[in-house]
Amino acid sequence: MRKKIVISTGAGISAESGMSTYRDAGGLWDNYPVMEVASDEGFARNPALIHQFYSNLRTKMSQSVMPNAAHRGLVELERDFDVHVITQNVDDLHERAGSSHVIHLHGELMKVRSMRHPERVYTLPCDQLTDKGLVTTVDTRDPYGDPVRPHIVFFGEAVPNMEPAARLASQADVFVIIGTSLVVYPAAALLQYVPHGVPVYYIDPRPAAVPAWVNVLACKATEGVPRLIEMLRK
């Protein structure tokens, strides 16, 4: 049986592809207060702004953002291991690179869902929703006539995929953390579910303080993932 590698990824892996985060200076988020475009209260106050913001972000991602060597390296690991990715990122770069098993903790940028029936989730572009491709507005309706919202976990909302993510972490033979400051919860708590004695690797150019038994690679994801692959194959 192949070893199970569970990989937790954060903003750092996507930043190398040009996907700015709300912490980046000069990025799209600089033009908007975070709580106005990433909270339930913000959506209630100004749904048009949130539709516009995420439509712009989708357009940028589809036009200029591509998977990088780190994303592709994690796919390469699937040749030898049972690889599962748990990501805090809302982009689809892991899927576009070819990863087979991806759990999104904070939602998915390329999807919207019904506001009346949240189980109805649609991937954009979807002709049934809009003739403008990746653009949605307050007037966008699903095939049942329901208004839609971005399929994003806003600040303060529950994280539906945390339970399956924690279960995966508890089953890991190897656990890997890439590109995260380990301060965003509940994702930062995944390390607590990893069984005692399981090897843990942490790739980040500015790694947070971690226990001594964690193997730290203080470098960017595109540099650290090839090193990780070499270490795991030995």
Side-chain angles (χ1 to χ4, degrees):
M1 181 179 295
R2 298 195 302 170
K3 286 187 176 181
K4 178 175 286 188
I5 300 181
V6 179
I7 303 167
S8 174
T9 67
I13 193 170
S14 293
E16 290 194 71
S17 289
M19 193 70 182
S20 63
T21 73
Y22 70 87
R23 292 186 178 88
D24 291 333
L28 182 61
W29 293 84
D30 272 1
N31 300 318
Y32 303 90
V34 170
M35 297 309 288
E36 289 300 309
V37 294
S39 72
D40 193 49
E41 295 85 356
F43 187 68
R45 281 193 299 269
N46 195 346
L49 173 65
I50 285 187
H51 275 286
Q52 178 187 27
F53 176 81
Y54 288 100
S55 293
N56 291 343
L57 203 54
R58 287 187 209 105
T59 300
K60 176 186 177 182
M61 188 175 75
S62 66
Q63 291 179 349
S64 60
V65 179
M66 300 293 292
N68 60 50
H71 296 103
R72 295 191 295 271
L74 300 186
V75 178
E76 182 183 339
L77 275 175
E78 293 188 17
R79 292 189 299 181
D80 303 304
F81 303 95
D82 179 19
V83 179
H84 295 258
V85 176
I86 303 166
T87 186
Q88 299 174 52
N89 302 329
V90 299
D91 60 62
D92 62 351
L93 294 175
H94 285 297
E95 288 89 346
R96 285 162 60 188
S99 285
S100 302
H101 307 290
V102 183
I103 290 179
H104 287 266
L105 290 180
H106 297 158
E108 297 180 65
L109 180 60
M110 300 302 290
K111 295 182 178 181
V112 295
R113 67 175 184 264
S114 164
M115 292 178 62
R116 297 189 181 121
H117 297 276
E119 72 277 5
R120 295 176 183 164
V121 179
Y122 307 91
T123 300
L124 297 173
C126 178
D127 294 339
Q128 293 175 306
L129 297 178
T130 172
D131 58 2
K132 297 180 181 179
L134 303 177
V135 177
T136 63
T137 70
V138 293
D139 297 319
T140 302
R141 295 293 185 272
D142 76 358
Y144 301 91
D146 295 345
V148 301
R149 57 161 277 181
H151 188 50
I152 300 293
V153 177
F154 291 144
F155 287 107
E157 292 184 325
V159 180
N161 279 334
M162 186 59 193
E163 185 175 340
R167 187 164 54 248
L168 265 179
S170 72
Q171 299 167 350
D173 296 306
V174 177
F175 191 73
V176 182
I177 304 163
I178 303 175
T180 174
S181 59
L182 293 176
V183 297
V184 178
Y185 283 82
L190 286 174
L191 186 58
Q192 300 173 13
Y193 293 90
V194 178
H196 178 72
V198 165
V200 176
Y201 299 85
Y202 179 24
I203 301 171
D204 194 274
R206 293 177 296 277
V210 291
W213 44 265
V214 175
N215 302 284
V216 177
L217 302 179
C219 57
K220 294 181 179 180
T222 50
E223 300 169 8
V225 170
R227 290 170 58 186
L228 173 71
I229 292 172
E230 184 178 354
M231 293 165 71
L232 292 175
R233 285 182 172 163
K234 284 182 178 179

